[in-house]
Amino acid sequence: MSKISLIKEDITKVHADAIVNAANSALLGGGGVDGAIHRVAGPGLPRECRKIGGCPTGEARITGGYNLPAKFVIHTVGPVWSGRAAEREDALLAGCYRNSLALAYENGVRTIAFPSISTGAYRFPVERASKIAVREIREFLDSHPGMEKVIIVCFGDEVFRAYEEALK
Ligand code: AR6
């Protein structure tokens, strides 16, 4: 059975050891999935994020999950798509998946849920992003047999279809 599953859901409802947040480099909350995670987690989350003091694009930071069903939140900062430096933007997005998975694994996470990083407010083309996400997740799973489950959480049919295609 595949360790990757694809679901249509609100990520704040997902029961996994960790959920990933598509944050911005200030780590102080925002709209989209970031706003939803902060709303459900409650005030402890921004307090912990403030202490971290930000995160560069492509990297990841870990906090508690507070009122979320997940024990941890992995905050990663996706690239803003411009298309003028596509290869660099691809590499930064790949880094988000790789670094989030590695940080989670080091902290004992064995089940983790990702949103479609950078494909909302940051405008990364979802078809392109889904291929990068699936490639990085598969590579990590191949090299870390201890990781049990990676859930890709899609908000909306277009995003779901893109990931379905990328998983074929
Ligand atoms: N559960 C799962 N996926 C969601 C949810 C949710 N509750 N809400 C939105 N999505 P975006 P980005 C999907 O814009 O492009 C924030 O303001 C959404 O439909 O959340 O990385 C941050 O603070 C889309 O498919 O993240 C940053 O400033 C995907 O999540 C900026 O937006 C990502 O959309 C980050 O932009």
Side-chain angles (χ1 to χ4, degrees):
M1 227 190 56
S2 172
K3 288 184 173 180
I4 306 179
S5 62
L6 185 60
I7 61 171
K8 268 185 231 173
E9 179 58 289
D10 172 352
I11 202 167
T12 64
K13 299 201 163 81
V14 173
H15 291 253
D17 296 339
I19 62 171
V20 177
N21 181 17
N24 58 65
S25 55
L27 296 187
L28 297 177
V33 70
D34 194 7
I37 287 173
H38 274 265
R39 256 192 313 279
V40 178
L45 184 60
R47 263 200 299 274
E48 189 177 354
C49 285
R50 263 196 300 279
K51 284 191 206 140
I52 296 172
C55 175
T57 304
E59 293 188 18
R61 300 290 184 266
I62 189 167
T63 67
Y66 298 88
N67 298 330
L68 290 157
K71 186 173 177 204
F72 298 108
V73 179
I74 307 288
H75 306 262
T76 190
V77 183
V80 178
W81 176 259
S82 72
R84 286 189 300 273
E87 276 177 31
R88 184 178 141 72
E89 286 153 14
D90 288 349
L92 287 167
L93 185 64
C96 289
Y97 285 92
R98 211 178 311 121
N99 292 323
S100 295
L101 286 161
L103 180 61
Y105 196 78
E106 280 165 26
N107 283 276
V109 168
R110 296 298 177 263
T111 59
I112 183 168
F114 279 92
S116 178
I117 299 164
S118 278
T119 65
Y122 284 177
R123 300 185 308 275
F124 208 104
V126 67
E127 244 179 66
R128 191 175 179 108
S130 63
K131 285 183 190 137
I132 294 168
V134 167
R135 183 191 71 211
E136 293 302 324
I137 292 167
R138 281 190 174 139
E139 271 183 34
F140 190 88
L141 287 170
D142 284 346
S143 55
H144 298 78
M147 185 61 95
E148 291 163 17
K149 187 126 217 84
V150 179
I151 306 161
I152 302 172
V153 183
C154 298
F155 223 46
D157 292 327
E158 190 202 339
V159 175
F160 187 87
R161 274 193 297 272
Y163 280 82
E164 209 173 30
E165 203 50 47
L167 281 164
K168 274 184 190 157

